[in-house]
Amino acid sequence: MPAVSNVLVVGAGLAGAATAIRLAEAGVAVDLVEIKPEVGALGSGITLQGNALRELRTLGVWERVSAAGYAFDVTGIRAPDPAGTVIAEIPDAKTGGPDLPAVMGMSRPELARILTDRAAEVGVKVRFGTTHTDLRQDATGVDVTFADGSAGRYDLVVGADGLRSWTRRALGIELETTPVGMGIWRAFGPRPASVTRTDLYYGGPSFIAGYCPTGEDSLYAYVVEPAQDRSTLTPEEQLATMRELAAAYHGPWDDVRETLTDPSRVNYTWFETHVLPAPWNRGRVVLVGDAAHTCPPTIAQGGAQALEDAYALTDLLLTRSALDQDLWDAFTARRFDRARTVVDASNQLARWQLDHVQGDIPGLMRSIAQLVSQPA
């Protein structure tokens, strides 16, 4: 018998949706609440390495993900010169196993829709436009009041509500989220025929410029600059700024830049980082995903680590008979050091770029591949 019979999951991102799906598939009653009014995600695209694809396959969505995304097995490194010269082609490790692609790019909103659709299919009660306003727990459960006036009692509450987690604040946990010193421009648009993989351009006037195909007809492109206040720019000014920064990069970037014409498909955010010290639970409330650990997307592992959190947590909940300290100790043993190592590696690569030192980027990529190839 599972350690829990009914669970509230707060946040319908990767960690939350994956947790809800796995529990509901095993017969646990799950409520999933999301404060946003509908399915969606900030940003444009996401890069999913093999360990993320492995977790998505366990959730029963691999065929839909495969059809919606764009798979590739090599990452290119290009020079910021007038030709966009290829200086390295690095085979991407198949960290999810030999029968899965090494890397897949896809639209973030599309991935969110696939996961929430799957959650509904397996019996999760999904509610948008609300979150909790009060959590009161005792030895046997958590009483929850919601913003829409409803209430419920649960064996467990999973806070998967992101970087600035409302659940974390409701628990009184103080966690310093620090800027890395970089800001990223992202844009979503059509895929030129010249883009068939991720290419990374290190150096030039920005730290990095790159792109990732997200489907047969789509991609997301990005330029990373020193973090600064861009909040006063109009959407049209944001688009012009990204195009101006991207003008220094060539090769397929020349084709990509011409497709960047829609101001509504450009956004700008800062890289930030934190790791919540263990344990990630307070009694019967536990934090996962960005609520517990977040990192700059320099090695494209944020989403994968959120999915691994969900797998490890639900595996323990479904194979243990009690929600006790042994379970929480086992969760910490499986997830804390692994997530912290990925955050540290992401920050290390960001520091190299801030110092204008490329470092052994291929070597770091191989080290990360060795780490993430192991199951969560």
mmCIF file of all heavy atoms in Angstrom, residues 319-362:
data_model
loop_
_atom_site.group_PDB
_atom_site.id
_atom_site.type_symbol
_atom_site.label_atom_id
_atom_site.label_comp_id
_atom_site.label_asym_id
_atom_site.label_seq_id
_atom_site.Cartn_x
_atom_site.Cartn_y
_atom_site.Cartn_z
ATOM 1 N N THR A 319 6.380 2.942 -3.007
ATOM 2 C CA THR A 319 6.997 1.677 -2.582
ATOM 3 C C THR A 319 7.193 1.591 -1.071
ATOM 4 O O THR A 319 7.543 0.523 -0.572
ATOM 5 C CB THR A 319 8.356 1.476 -3.268
ATOM 6 O OG1 THR A 319 9.215 2.585 -2.969
ATOM 7 C CG2 THR A 319 8.186 1.348 -4.772
ATOM 8 N N ARG A 320 6.991 2.686 -0.371
ATOM 9 C CA ARG A 320 7.060 2.675 1.095
ATOM 10 C C ARG A 320 5.638 2.671 1.654
ATOM 11 O O ARG A 320 4.702 3.173 1.027
ATOM 12 C CB ARG A 320 7.815 3.889 1.621
ATOM 13 C CG ARG A 320 9.243 4.030 1.099
ATOM 14 C CD ARG A 320 10.154 2.932 1.618
ATOM 15 N NE ARG A 320 11.524 3.092 1.168
ATOM 16 C CZ ARG A 320 12.482 3.714 1.871
ATOM 17 N NH1 ARG A 320 12.207 4.242 3.064
ATOM 18 N NH2 ARG A 320 13.710 3.808 1.384
ATOM 19 N N SER A 321 5.487 2.163 2.856
ATOM 20 C CA SER A 321 4.158 2.065 3.465
ATOM 21 C C SER A 321 3.850 3.199 4.418
ATOM 22 O O SER A 321 2.717 3.321 4.886
ATOM 23 C CB SER A 321 4.021 0.729 4.214
ATOM 24 O OG SER A 321 5.017 0.627 5.236
ATOM 25 N N ALA A 322 4.846 4.036 4.717
ATOM 26 C CA ALA A 322 4.613 5.115 5.679
ATOM 27 C C ALA A 322 5.363 6.365 5.251
ATOM 28 O O ALA A 322 6.477 6.299 4.716
ATOM 29 C CB ALA A 322 5.068 4.689 7.080
ATOM 30 N N LEU A 323 4.734 7.512 5.501
ATOM 31 C CA LEU A 323 5.368 8.801 5.238
ATOM 32 C C LEU A 323 6.147 9.187 6.488
ATOM 33 O O LEU A 323 5.694 9.983 7.303
ATOM 34 C CB LEU A 323 4.301 9.846 4.901
ATOM 35 C CG LEU A 323 4.786 11.164 4.310
ATOM 36 C CD1 LEU A 323 5.401 10.961 2.944
ATOM 37 C CD2 LEU A 323 3.626 12.162 4.223
ATOM 38 N N ASP A 324 7.344 8.619 6.610
ATOM 39 C CA ASP A 324 8.102 8.779 7.845
ATOM 40 C C ASP A 324 9.494 9.332 7.546
ATOM 41 O O ASP A 324 9.845 9.614 6.404
ATOM 42 C CB ASP A 324 8.191 7.446 8.595
ATOM 43 C CG ASP A 324 8.774 6.316 7.746
ATOM 44 O OD1 ASP A 324 9.401 6.603 6.691
ATOM 45 O OD2 ASP A 324 8.607 5.150 8.127
ATOM 46 N N GLN A 325 10.306 9.455 8.593
ATOM 47 C CA GLN A 325 11.627 10.039 8.420
ATOM 48 C C GLN A 325 12.514 9.190 7.529
ATOM 49 O O GLN A 325 13.361 9.726 6.789
ATOM 50 C CB GLN A 325 12.301 10.242 9.787
ATOM 51 C CG GLN A 325 13.564 11.084 9.733
ATOM 52 C CD GLN A 325 13.326 12.462 9.148
ATOM 53 O OE1 GLN A 325 12.378 13.145 9.552
ATOM 54 N NE2 GLN A 325 14.167 12.896 8.226
ATOM 55 N N ASP A 326 12.338 7.881 7.545
ATOM 56 C CA ASP A 326 13.135 7.026 6.670
ATOM 57 C C ASP A 326 12.884 7.370 5.211
ATOM 58 O O ASP A 326 13.821 7.377 4.388
ATOM 59 C CB ASP A 326 12.800 5.551 6.927
ATOM 60 C CG ASP A 326 13.407 5.020 8.212
ATOM 61 O OD1 ASP A 326 14.310 5.690 8.764
ATOM 62 O OD2 ASP A 326 12.977 3.948 8.666
ATOM 63 N N LEU A 327 11.627 7.657 4.860
ATOM 64 C CA LEU A 327 11.312 8.023 3.487
ATOM 65 C C LEU A 327 11.983 9.337 3.122
ATOM 66 O O LEU A 327 12.584 9.453 2.051
ATOM 67 C CB LEU A 327 9.794 8.110 3.311
ATOM 68 C CG LEU A 327 9.281 8.387 1.892
ATOM 69 C CD1 LEU A 327 7.914 7.747 1.673
ATOM 70 C CD2 LEU A 327 9.187 9.896 1.583
ATOM 71 N N TRP A 328 11.908 10.324 4.020
ATOM 72 C CA TRP A 328 12.518 11.621 3.698
ATOM 73 C C TRP A 328 14.038 11.528 3.632
ATOM 74 O O TRP A 328 14.673 12.182 2.796
ATOM 75 C CB TRP A 328 12.082 12.683 4.709
ATOM 76 C CG TRP A 328 10.616 12.966 4.665
ATOM 77 C CD1 TRP A 328 9.723 12.897 5.692
ATOM 78 C CD2 TRP A 328 9.855 13.365 3.503
ATOM 79 N NE1 TRP A 328 8.456 13.227 5.257
ATOM 80 C CE2 TRP A 328 8.510 13.517 3.921
ATOM 81 C CE3 TRP A 328 10.177 13.605 2.167
ATOM 82 C CZ2 TRP A 328 7.497 13.902 3.056
ATOM 83 C CZ3 TRP A 328 9.173 13.974 1.292
ATOM 84 C CH2 TRP A 328 7.848 14.128 1.734
ATOM 85 N N ASP A 329 14.621 10.695 4.484
ATOM 86 C CA ASP A 329 16.073 10.496 4.414
ATOM 87 C C ASP A 329 16.471 9.861 3.075
ATOM 88 O O ASP A 329 17.492 10.235 2.469
ATOM 89 C CB ASP A 329 16.551 9.605 5.565
ATOM 90 C CG ASP A 329 16.494 10.304 6.917
ATOM 91 O OD1 ASP A 329 16.363 11.549 6.950
ATOM 92 O OD2 ASP A 329 16.570 9.598 7.947
ATOM 93 N N ALA A 330 15.656 8.918 2.616
ATOM 94 C CA ALA A 330 15.942 8.269 1.339
ATOM 95 C C ALA A 330 15.793 9.257 0.180
ATOM 96 O O ALA A 330 16.587 9.238 -0.770
ATOM 97 C CB ALA A 330 15.011 7.075 1.137
ATOM 98 N N PHE A 331 14.796 10.132 0.249
ATOM 99 C CA PHE A 331 14.618 11.143 -0.801
ATOM 100 C C PHE A 331 15.813 12.085 -0.841
ATOM 101 O O PHE A 331 16.353 12.391 -1.919
ATOM 102 C CB PHE A 331 13.324 11.918 -0.559
ATOM 103 C CG PHE A 331 13.034 12.953 -1.606
ATOM 104 C CD1 PHE A 331 12.948 12.615 -2.949
ATOM 105 C CD2 PHE A 331 12.833 14.280 -1.249
ATOM 106 C CE1 PHE A 331 12.679 13.575 -3.927
ATOM 107 C CE2 PHE A 331 12.567 15.246 -2.216
ATOM 108 C CZ PHE A 331 12.482 14.887 -3.554
ATOM 109 N N THR A 332 16.271 12.514 0.319
ATOM 110 C CA THR A 332 17.453 13.378 0.380
ATOM 111 C C THR A 332 18.674 12.672 -0.197
ATOM 112 O O THR A 332 19.445 13.261 -0.981
ATOM 113 C CB THR A 332 17.731 13.806 1.829
ATOM 114 O OG1 THR A 332 16.635 14.596 2.313
ATOM 115 C CG2 THR A 332 19.014 14.618 1.924
ATOM 116 N N ALA A 333 18.844 11.409 0.138
ATOM 117 C CA ALA A 333 20.010 10.661 -0.349
ATOM 118 C C ALA A 333 19.991 10.526 -1.867
ATOM 119 O O ALA A 333 21.041 10.557 -2.525
ATOM 120 C CB ALA A 333 20.044 9.280 0.302
ATOM 121 N N ARG A 334 18.809 10.396 -2.455
ATOM 122 C CA ARG A 334 18.717 10.211 -3.897
ATOM 123 C C ARG A 334 18.832 11.521 -4.673
ATOM 124 O O ARG A 334 19.294 11.518 -5.815
ATOM 125 C CB ARG A 334 17.394 9.510 -4.250
ATOM 126 C CG ARG A 334 17.410 8.041 -3.888
ATOM 127 C CD ARG A 334 16.089 7.365 -4.136
ATOM 128 N NE ARG A 334 15.706 7.306 -5.544
ATOM 129 C CZ ARG A 334 14.716 6.533 -6.007
ATOM 130 N NH1 ARG A 334 14.035 5.762 -5.175
ATOM 131 N NH2 ARG A 334 14.414 6.544 -7.299
ATOM 132 N N ARG A 335 18.405 12.626 -4.073
ATOM 133 C CA ARG A 335 18.271 13.834 -4.879
ATOM 134 C C ARG A 335 19.185 14.993 -4.510
ATOM 135 O O ARG A 335 19.572 15.776 -5.387
ATOM 136 C CB ARG A 335 16.815 14.334 -4.813
ATOM 137 C CG ARG A 335 15.835 13.451 -5.531
ATOM 138 C CD ARG A 335 16.188 13.241 -6.993
ATOM 139 N NE ARG A 335 16.331 14.510 -7.711
ATOM 140 C CZ ARG A 335 17.158 14.696 -8.723
ATOM 141 N NH1 ARG A 335 17.954 13.727 -9.145
ATOM 142 N NH2 ARG A 335 17.217 15.866 -9.322
ATOM 143 N N PHE A 336 19.547 15.161 -3.259
ATOM 144 C CA PHE A 336 20.203 16.405 -2.879
ATOM 145 C C PHE A 336 21.568 16.576 -3.539
ATOM 146 O O PHE A 336 21.830 17.582 -4.202
ATOM 147 C CB PHE A 336 20.334 16.523 -1.354
ATOM 148 C CG PHE A 336 20.992 17.807 -0.937
ATOM 149 C CD1 PHE A 336 20.309 19.005 -1.002
ATOM 150 C CD2 PHE A 336 22.313 17.817 -0.508
ATOM 151 C CE1 PHE A 336 20.912 20.201 -0.649
ATOM 152 C CE2 PHE A 336 22.930 19.007 -0.143
ATOM 153 C CZ PHE A 336 22.224 20.206 -0.219
ATOM 154 N N ASP A 337 22.461 15.605 -3.369
ATOM 155 C CA ASP A 337 23.812 15.756 -3.929
ATOM 156 C C ASP A 337 23.776 15.827 -5.452
ATOM 157 O O ASP A 337 24.535 16.581 -6.072
ATOM 158 C CB ASP A 337 24.703 14.601 -3.477
ATOM 159 C CG ASP A 337 25.143 14.745 -2.035
ATOM 160 O OD1 ASP A 337 25.025 15.852 -1.469
ATOM 161 O OD2 ASP A 337 25.598 13.738 -1.453
ATOM 162 N N ARG A 338 22.916 15.044 -6.064
ATOM 163 C CA ARG A 338 22.832 15.032 -7.528
ATOM 164 C C ARG A 338 22.376 16.393 -8.046
ATOM 165 O O ARG A 338 22.988 16.962 -8.954
ATOM 166 C CB ARG A 338 21.868 13.940 -7.977
ATOM 167 C CG ARG A 338 21.725 13.780 -9.483
ATOM 168 C CD ARG A 338 20.760 12.642 -9.743
ATOM 169 N NE ARG A 338 20.447 12.428 -11.149
ATOM 170 C CZ ARG A 338 21.076 11.587 -11.955
ATOM 171 N NH1 ARG A 338 22.129 10.915 -11.499
ATOM 172 N NH2 ARG A 338 20.689 11.414 -13.207
ATOM 173 N N ALA A 339 21.309 16.944 -7.467
ATOM 174 C CA ALA A 339 20.816 18.250 -7.917
ATOM 175 C C ALA A 339 21.848 19.341 -7.650
ATOM 176 O O ALA A 339 22.073 20.213 -8.499
ATOM 177 C CB ALA A 339 19.499 18.572 -7.216
ATOM 178 N N ARG A 340 22.484 19.295 -6.487
ATOM 179 C CA ARG A 340 23.494 20.311 -6.162
ATOM 180 C C ARG A 340 24.668 20.243 -7.130
ATOM 181 O O ARG A 340 25.201 21.288 -7.551
ATOM 182 C CB ARG A 340 23.984 20.128 -4.725
ATOM 183 C CG ARG A 340 25.001 21.191 -4.297
ATOM 184 C CD ARG A 340 25.368 21.041 -2.836
ATOM 185 N NE ARG A 340 25.910 19.726 -2.539
ATOM 186 C CZ ARG A 340 26.257 19.325 -1.316
ATOM 187 N NH1 ARG A 340 26.079 20.131 -0.285
ATOM 188 N NH2 ARG A 340 26.750 18.115 -1.118
ATOM 189 N N THR A 341 25.078 19.045 -7.521
ATOM 190 C CA THR A 341 26.187 18.903 -8.472
ATOM 191 C C THR A 341 25.837 19.529 -9.818
ATOM 192 O O THR A 341 26.674 20.203 -10.451
ATOM 193 C CB THR A 341 26.539 17.417 -8.649
ATOM 194 O OG1 THR A 341 26.961 16.877 -7.394
ATOM 195 C CG2 THR A 341 27.646 17.236 -9.672
ATOM 196 N N VAL A 342 24.608 19.327 -10.277
ATOM 197 C CA VAL A 342 24.187 19.917 -11.550
ATOM 198 C C VAL A 342 24.135 21.437 -11.445
ATOM 199 O O VAL A 342 24.578 22.150 -12.359
ATOM 200 C CB VAL A 342 22.824 19.341 -11.973
ATOM 201 C CG1 VAL A 342 22.244 20.129 -13.143
ATOM 202 C CG2 VAL A 342 22.970 17.867 -12.354
ATOM 203 N N VAL A 343 23.614 21.954 -10.352
ATOM 204 C CA VAL A 343 23.585 23.407 -10.155
ATOM 205 C C VAL A 343 25.006 23.957 -10.138
ATOM 206 O O VAL A 343 25.303 24.976 -10.772
ATOM 207 C CB VAL A 343 22.834 23.775 -8.866
ATOM 208 C CG1 VAL A 343 22.988 25.270 -8.549
ATOM 209 C CG2 VAL A 343 21.355 23.425 -8.990
ATOM 210 N N ASP A 344 25.895 23.299 -9.421
ATOM 211 C CA ASP A 344 27.290 23.759 -9.348
ATOM 212 C C ASP A 344 27.938 23.770 -10.730
ATOM 213 O O ASP A 344 28.667 24.713 -11.078
ATOM 214 C CB ASP A 344 28.099 22.872 -8.403
ATOM 215 C CG ASP A 344 27.754 23.092 -6.932
ATOM 216 O OD1 ASP A 344 27.062 24.085 -6.618
ATOM 217 O OD2 ASP A 344 28.172 22.269 -6.096
ATOM 218 N N ALA A 345 27.711 22.722 -11.524
ATOM 219 C CA ALA A 345 28.299 22.665 -12.862
ATOM 220 C C ALA A 345 27.726 23.760 -13.755
ATOM 221 O O ALA A 345 28.463 24.382 -14.540
ATOM 222 C CB ALA A 345 28.048 21.289 -13.481
ATOM 223 N N SER A 346 26.428 24.019 -13.641
ATOM 224 C CA SER A 346 25.806 25.090 -14.425
ATOM 225 C C SER A 346 26.407 26.439 -14.068
ATOM 226 O O SER A 346 26.720 27.259 -14.943
ATOM 227 C CB SER A 346 24.298 25.107 -14.176
ATOM 228 O OG SER A 346 23.694 23.874 -14.509
ATOM 229 N N ASN A 347 26.583 26.662 -12.787
ATOM 230 C CA ASN A 347 27.166 27.925 -12.339
ATOM 231 C C ASN A 347 28.634 28.040 -12.724
ATOM 232 O O ASN A 347 29.128 29.142 -13.018
ATOM 233 C CB ASN A 347 27.000 28.069 -10.825
ATOM 234 C CG ASN A 347 25.563 28.325 -10.422
ATOM 235 O OD1 ASN A 347 24.798 28.933 -11.172
ATOM 236 N ND2 ASN A 347 25.180 27.875 -9.244
ATOM 237 N N GLN A 348 29.345 26.911 -12.726
ATOM 238 C CA GLN A 348 30.756 26.932 -13.114
ATOM 239 C C GLN A 348 30.903 27.399 -14.561
ATOM 240 O O GLN A 348 31.746 28.250 -14.864
ATOM 241 C CB GLN A 348 31.369 25.544 -12.964
ATOM 242 C CG GLN A 348 32.839 25.472 -13.380
ATOM 243 C CD GLN A 348 33.396 24.055 -13.316
ATOM 244 O OE1 GLN A 348 32.716 23.124 -12.889
ATOM 245 N NE2 GLN A 348 34.615 23.882 -13.756
ATOM 246 N N LEU A 349 30.075 26.864 -15.453
ATOM 247 C CA LEU A 349 30.154 27.278 -16.849
ATOM 248 C C LEU A 349 29.771 28.746 -17.000
ATOM 249 O O LEU A 349 30.375 29.487 -17.792
ATOM 250 C CB LEU A 349 29.260 26.397 -17.717
ATOM 251 C CG LEU A 349 29.301 26.641 -19.227
ATOM 252 C CD1 LEU A 349 30.735 26.673 -19.747
ATOM 253 C CD2 LEU A 349 28.491 25.591 -19.966
ATOM 254 N N ALA A 350 28.791 29.195 -16.227
ATOM 255 C CA ALA A 350 28.422 30.617 -16.266
ATOM 256 C C ALA A 350 29.584 31.494 -15.807
ATOM 257 O O ALA A 350 29.858 32.542 -16.405
ATOM 258 C CB ALA A 350 27.196 30.855 -15.390
ATOM 259 N N ARG A 351 30.294 31.072 -14.761
ATOM 260 C CA ARG A 351 31.438 31.863 -14.283
ATOM 261 C C ARG A 351 32.530 31.926 -15.330
ATOM 262 O O ARG A 351 33.171 32.970 -15.509
ATOM 263 C CB ARG A 351 31.973 31.270 -12.970
ATOM 264 C CG ARG A 351 31.096 31.558 -11.751
ATOM 265 C CD ARG A 351 31.819 31.213 -10.462
ATOM 266 N NE ARG A 351 32.138 29.794 -10.381
ATOM 267 C CZ ARG A 351 31.332 28.877 -9.839
ATOM 268 N NH1 ARG A 351 30.148 29.236 -9.367
ATOM 269 N NH2 ARG A 351 31.694 27.612 -9.788
ATOM 270 N N TRP A 352 32.784 30.828 -16.022
ATOM 271 C CA TRP A 352 33.782 30.838 -17.088
ATOM 272 C C TRP A 352 33.421 31.883 -18.144
ATOM 273 O O TRP A 352 34.287 32.630 -18.614
ATOM 274 C CB TRP A 352 33.856 29.455 -17.746
ATOM 275 C CG TRP A 352 34.687 28.466 -16.989
ATOM 276 C CD1 TRP A 352 35.545 28.716 -15.956
ATOM 277 C CD2 TRP A 352 34.747 27.061 -17.216
ATOM 278 N NE1 TRP A 352 36.115 27.551 -15.519
ATOM 279 C CE2 TRP A 352 35.648 26.515 -16.269
ATOM 280 C CE3 TRP A 352 34.115 26.194 -18.105
ATOM 281 C CZ2 TRP A 352 35.939 25.155 -16.213
ATOM 282 C CZ3 TRP A 352 34.404 24.841 -18.041
ATOM 283 C CH2 TRP A 352 35.306 24.336 -17.111
ATOM 284 N N GLN A 353 32.170 31.934 -18.503
ATOM 285 C CA GLN A 353 31.753 32.899 -19.518
ATOM 286 C C GLN A 353 31.847 34.332 -18.997
ATOM 287 O O GLN A 353 32.255 35.242 -19.726
ATOM 288 C CB GLN A 353 30.331 32.582 -19.968
ATOM 289 C CG GLN A 353 30.231 31.248 -20.706
ATOM 290 C CD GLN A 353 28.807 30.839 -20.971
ATOM 291 O OE1 GLN A 353 28.015 31.622 -21.464
ATOM 292 N NE2 GLN A 353 28.480 29.601 -20.636
ATOM 293 N N LEU A 354 31.485 34.537 -17.732
ATOM 294 C CA LEU A 354 31.588 35.867 -17.146
ATOM 295 C C LEU A 354 33.039 36.351 -17.127
ATOM 296 O O LEU A 354 33.316 37.542 -17.289
ATOM 297 C CB LEU A 354 31.028 35.874 -15.725
ATOM 298 C CG LEU A 354 29.503 35.891 -15.608
ATOM 299 C CD1 LEU A 354 29.081 35.511 -14.193
ATOM 300 C CD2 LEU A 354 28.943 37.254 -15.977
ATOM 301 N N ASP A 355 33.950 35.417 -16.938
ATOM 302 C CA ASP A 355 35.374 35.764 -16.909
ATOM 303 C C ASP A 355 35.993 35.772 -18.301
ATOM 304 O O ASP A 355 37.210 35.949 -18.428
ATOM 305 C CB ASP A 355 36.136 34.763 -16.029
ATOM 306 C CG ASP A 355 35.733 34.862 -14.567
ATOM 307 O OD1 ASP A 355 35.212 35.914 -14.155
ATOM 308 O OD2 ASP A 355 35.916 33.873 -13.837
ATOM 309 N N HIS A 356 35.170 35.568 -19.328
ATOM 310 C CA HIS A 356 35.641 35.531 -20.719
ATOM 311 C C HIS A 356 36.682 34.439 -20.920
ATOM 312 O O HIS A 356 37.621 34.581 -21.685
ATOM 313 C CB HIS A 356 36.221 36.876 -21.154
ATOM 314 C CG HIS A 356 35.235 37.992 -21.019
ATOM 315 N ND1 HIS A 356 34.184 38.159 -21.885
ATOM 316 C CD2 HIS A 356 35.127 38.992 -20.105
ATOM 317 C CE1 HIS A 356 33.473 39.206 -21.524
ATOM 318 N NE2 HIS A 356 34.008 39.730 -20.453
ATOM 319 N N VAL A 357 36.494 33.332 -20.199
ATOM 320 C CA VAL A 357 37.367 32.174 -20.357
ATOM 321 C C VAL A 357 36.499 31.013 -20.803
ATOM 322 O O VAL A 357 35.582 30.615 -20.096
ATOM 323 C CB VAL A 357 38.078 31.824 -19.021
ATOM 324 C CG1 VAL A 357 38.916 30.569 -19.195
ATOM 325 C CG2 VAL A 357 38.948 32.987 -18.563
ATOM 326 N N GLN A 358 36.774 30.492 -21.985
ATOM 327 C CA GLN A 358 35.940 29.405 -22.483
ATOM 328 C C GLN A 358 36.129 28.138 -21.669
ATOM 329 O O GLN A 358 35.181 27.416 -21.396
ATOM 330 C CB GLN A 358 36.249 29.133 -23.956
ATOM 331 C CG GLN A 358 35.387 28.028 -24.536
ATOM 332 C CD GLN A 358 35.506 27.971 -26.036
ATOM 333 O OE1 GLN A 358 35.561 28.976 -26.710
ATOM 334 N NE2 GLN A 358 35.574 26.771 -26.563
ATOM 335 N N GLY A 359 37.336 27.850 -21.243
ATOM 336 C CA GLY A 359 37.572 26.649 -20.464
ATOM 337 C C GLY A 359 37.371 25.390 -21.308
ATOM 338 O O GLY A 359 37.193 25.429 -22.512
ATOM 339 N N ASP A 360 37.405 24.262 -20.649
ATOM 340 C CA ASP A 360 37.252 22.977 -21.332
ATOM 341 C C ASP A 360 35.769 22.637 -21.425
ATOM 342 O O ASP A 360 35.269 21.768 -20.718
ATOM 343 C CB ASP A 360 38.010 21.896 -20.565
ATOM 344 C CG ASP A 360 37.929 20.530 -21.258
ATOM 345 O OD1 ASP A 360 37.571 20.497 -22.457
ATOM 346 O OD2 ASP A 360 38.197 19.518 -20.584
ATOM 347 N N ILE A 361 35.043 23.346 -22.299
ATOM 348 C CA ILE A 361 33.604 23.140 -22.407
ATOM 349 C C ILE A 361 33.281 21.719 -22.868
ATOM 350 O O ILE A 361 32.412 21.064 -22.283
ATOM 351 C CB ILE A 361 32.980 24.205 -23.323
ATOM 352 C CG1 ILE A 361 33.084 25.574 -22.631
ATOM 353 C CG2 ILE A 361 31.532 23.878 -23.644
ATOM 354 C CD1 ILE A 361 32.734 26.737 -23.502
ATOM 355 N N PRO A 362 33.944 21.166 -23.900
ATOM 356 C CA PRO A 362 33.649 19.776 -24.252
ATOM 357 C C PRO A 362 33.892 18.813 -23.089
ATOM 358 O O PRO A 362 33.119 17.884 -22.878
ATOM 359 C CB PRO A 362 34.602 19.504 -25.425
ATOM 360 C CG PRO A 362 34.825 20.853 -26.039
ATOM 361 C CD PRO A 362 34.876 21.799 -24.867
#
